[in-house]
Amino acid sequence: MGLKNLIVKGRNYIADHLSKSSLEKAIKRRQIKSNQKNEKLIILGCGWGSYSFLKNLNTTKYDVVVISPRNHFLFTPLLTSSAVGTLEFRSIAEPIRTTRDINDFKYIQASVTSIDPNNNSIMVKSTFHNEKPFEMKFDKLVIGVGSRNNTFGIKGVEENANFLKELNHAREIRQKIIECFERASLPDISNEERERLLSFVIVGGGATGVEFTSELNDFFNEDLSRLFPFVPVNDVKIILLEASGKILSTFDQKLVKKALINFRKSGIDVRTHSSVKEVLKDYVVLNNGDKIPYGLLVWSTGIGQHPLVKNSSFEKDSHDRIIVDDHLRVKNYQNIFGFGDCANVETKNYPPTAQVASQSAVYLAKEFNNLEKLNPNPPKPFVFKFLGLLAYTGNKSGIMETNFFDLSGFIGFITWRSAYLTRLGSLRSKIQVPFDWTRTLIFGRDISSF
């Protein structure tokens, strides 16, 4: 009993001490802000760039407002895993309000409809109603709204395909997979309809398309017979369509060949030089006239620009990305900045990846933090440091490419998981994700999570 009381007292003391410490820090921050007139800094988006920028910014120097229709940061490299139940949705999402002390910034769940750079103002529309947009002024503006799915104007894609860029997309795909198998299990289903329901088509042979194909194949091989014993695995088809001559075009050809060998062993049908002409409700039409029936179609063919960026008056490159200088300032403007998929350094052609977005955001946050310091030397320009490429290729195999060495097979898989584990946004995620991996390994994917 004495030991129990001692533990309780110790726990209460720690809790009181931490709460007092947090309160004192919050009061100190408020006092600093109240004693100085801060510039109003508005951050658009909460993806890789905006999230990293907010985490590294010294907010005592600014009145910070984050505006985004999505109220969480999403760890997109593991989104494909959540789509098939390997990971739970909550494991890869971080509420934006818990990024740092809520007193450090204000969050508004809304979309920005337009930017007026000459009057330092934006028009904002709430995600909760369709009322007239309201105006907000800024001293500095950081644009990190990311990108959208690129349909290339192909008829029927928006109406019939599933995308994989947001958490709700992964939920929809998860539900659609289960629906396909439930319907295929019905005793009165025709053979033709059953064959269509058990055909899964992925369009786009980039990293997302390949990793989703791999995760889907793992689910079929490891959990299908347990969850749906009347649907033989051999009846299921996975077809990966790529318009160009090879999948994973950013990887070295030797690694791509290893990924293809792994796919062929698994029975995955990889078709290159296969451009989609039209998408209908039950089948895909290729440019060569072939028709491919599907139960689920996942569209992952690269990025298209956000409407806010496309409709803005800023100068843009050939990919509709906002042109910024090597200090990430939007061309012709000293108080507007951009990074991530929606922007590109004028003299460079950086890839639209999480690596580039995160590194550029950390760089810009440091530049903002150093603005008031007396430094006779001009700030150094942003330089992207390539850290390597990673992709999961299924069956506990992965590939990794760096400037110094390449990895593949099981060691590539371990490296892939380890690298992403270290990049997760919070301690909670770093605990939850390994827990999910272990749960999947021992018990399989949880049918209740679909």
Side-chain angles (χ1 to χ4, degrees):
M1 191 67 180
L3 181 60
K4 184 178 179 180
N5 287 335
L6 185 62
I7 292 173
V8 171
K9 287 181 179 179
R11 184 177 61 192
N12 292 339
Y13 172 80
I14 292 172
D16 291 342
H17 179 73
L18 288 176
S19 62
K20 287 179 182 177
S21 177
S22 299
L23 181 61
E24 288 170 358
K25 288 179 181 179
I27 293 172
K28 187 176 181 180
R29 279 193 294 268
R30 287 185 189 139
Q31 288 175 341
I32 291 173
K33 286 196 173 187
S34 64
N35 293 333
Q36 62 187 25
K37 186 177 181 181
N38 291 330
E39 289 184 306
K40 186 168 186 179
L41 168 62
I42 294 181
I43 305 169
L44 305 185
C46 59
W48 279 92
S50 299
Y51 179 76
S52 300
F53 179 76
L54 180 62
K55 287 187 73 173
N56 289 275
L57 181 69
N58 181 358
T59 57
T60 59
K61 299 180 179 181
Y62 304 96
D63 290 331
V64 182
V65 179
V66 178
I67 303 175
S68 174
R70 188 179 76 189
N71 64 358
H72 58 273
F73 164 71
L74 182 62
F75 194 83
T76 49
L78 293 178
L79 190 60
T80 56
S81 298
S82 70
V84 299
T86 306
L87 299 177
E88 292 303 323
F89 300 123
R90 65 180 180 274
S91 301
I92 60 170
E94 286 296 325
I96 196 66
R97 292 184 183 277
T98 62
T99 303
R100 54 190 303 161
D101 193 295
I102 196 61
N103 295 301
D104 291 346
F105 69 100
K106 181 180 180 181
Y107 169 69
I108 299 175
Q109 188 166 352
S111 298
V112 175
T113 58
S114 63
I115 301 171
D116 186 348
N118 297 318
N119 292 314
N120 287 349
S121 67
I122 56 175
M123 297 304 294
V124 185
K125 189 174 183 180
S126 170
T127 57
F128 299 107
H129 57 69
N130 292 318
E131 295 179 10
K132 186 178 178 181
F134 54 90
E135 184 184 49
M136 291 185 67
K137 292 283 189 178
F138 62 83
D139 296 305
K140 285 186 170 66
L141 178 67
V142 174
I143 306 172
V145 294
S147 58
R148 293 295 180 266
N149 297 285
N150 197 344
T151 65
F152 298 98
I154 296 172
K155 186 178 178 181
V157 174
E158 290 280 359
E159 297 82 1
N160 301 304
N162 287 88
F163 300 110
L164 188 51
K165 202 167 181 64
E166 300 288 348
L167 213 56
N168 64 297
H169 295 157
R171 285 194 180 97
E172 290 169 3
I173 289 172
R174 206 189 263 201
Q175 186 58 45
K176 192 68 177 289
I177 292 170
I178 296 305
E179 182 184 321
C180 286
F181 284 109
E182 294 289 5
R183 291 175 62 186
S185 300
L186 293 173
D188 61 345
I189 197 81
S190 67
N191 290 333
E192 183 180 1
E193 178 66 2
R194 178 187 171 90
E195 184 178 346
R196 181 189 70 81
L197 289 168
L198 298 181
S199 294
F200 298 83
V201 177
I202 297 93
V203 181
T208 301
V210 166
E211 291 191 337
F212 177 71
T213 300
S214 304
E215 293 279 2
L216 190 63
N217 187 62
D218 284 354
F219 166 65
F220 294 158
N221 290 332
E222 297 169 8
D223 295 288
L224 186 60
S225 60
R226 176 177 62 86
L227 300 174
F228 297 94
F230 300 108
V231 181
V233 139
N234 292 335
D235 289 354
V236 179
K237 295 179 182 177
I238 302 178
I239 302 170
L240 176 62
L241 302 177
E242 169 56 39
S244 69
K246 74 168 189 174
I247 63 171
L248 297 171
S249 58
T250 55
F251 282 81
D252 183 82
Q253 188 61 32
K254 292 180 180 178
L255 292 175
V256 175
K257 285 182 178 178
K258 291 181 179 181
L260 285 171
I261 290 171
N262 199 37
F263 275 8
R264 291 192 184 106
K265 286 181 179 179
S266 301
I268 297 170
D269 184 3
V270 179
R271 304 186 190 182
T272 55
H273 301 291
S274 298
S275 300
V276 175
K277 181 180 180 181
E278 186 179 359
V279 178
L280 287 91
K281 183 181 178 181
D282 295 330
Y283 61 91
V284 176
V285 181
L286 303 184
N287 277 342
N288 62 6
D290 289 351
K291 296 180 180 180
I292 304 175
Y294 67 85
L296 170 70
L297 173 66
V298 175
W299 191 270
S300 177
T301 58
I303 65 169
Q305 278 312 319
H306 193 289
L308 175 68
V309 174
K310 290 184 72 173
N311 299 328
S312 71
S313 60
F314 303 124
E315 284 194 42
K316 294 180 277 288
D317 64 10
S318 59
H319 299 286
D320 271 339
R321 294 178 294 184
I322 297 172
I323 296 175
V324 298
D325 64 16
D326 53 11
H327 295 279
L328 306 184
R329 295 171 297 208
V330 172
K331 193 172 182 179
N332 301 322
Y333 297 95
Q334 295 297 309
N335 66 327
I336 303 177
F337 306 80
F339 46 48
D341 293 355
C342 66
N344 187 48
V345 178
E346 185 172 20
T347 56
K348 308 290 183 182
N349 189 26
Y350 293 133
T353 63
Q355 268 189 60
V356 176
S358 182
Q359 287 185 31
S360 57
V362 172
Y363 162 86
L364 188 61
K366 290 179 179 178
E367 289 297 297
F368 271 51
N369 296 342
N370 292 331
L371 282 177
E372 294 184 5
K373 293 183 179 179
L374 296 176
N375 189 350
N377 300 316
K380 294 181 180 180
F382 169 68
V383 178
F384 170 60
K385 296 178 181 178
F386 176 69
L387 301 178
L389 297 171
L390 291 164
Y392 179 56
T393 56
N395 297 321
K396 305 293 185 295
S397 293
I399 55 176
M400 177 182 182
E401 180 180 337
T402 72
N403 290 329
F404 308 103
F405 60 88
D406 297 337
L407 295 173
S408 61
F410 184 71
I411 188 65
F413 164 70
I414 295 297
T415 306
W416 174 79
R417 280 199 167 179
S418 301
Y420 285 158
L421 183 61
T422 61
R423 297 292 296 159
L424 287 166
S426 70
L427 178 61
R428 180 190 65 81
S429 292
K430 290 176 181 178
I431 294 172
Q432 187 67 43
V433 166
F435 176 83
D436 289 348
W437 282 335
T438 304
R439 182 258 304 160
T440 299
L441 180 66
I442 299 173
F443 302 107
R445 292 159 183 84
D446 184 6
I447 187 66
S448 65
S449 65
F450 285 82

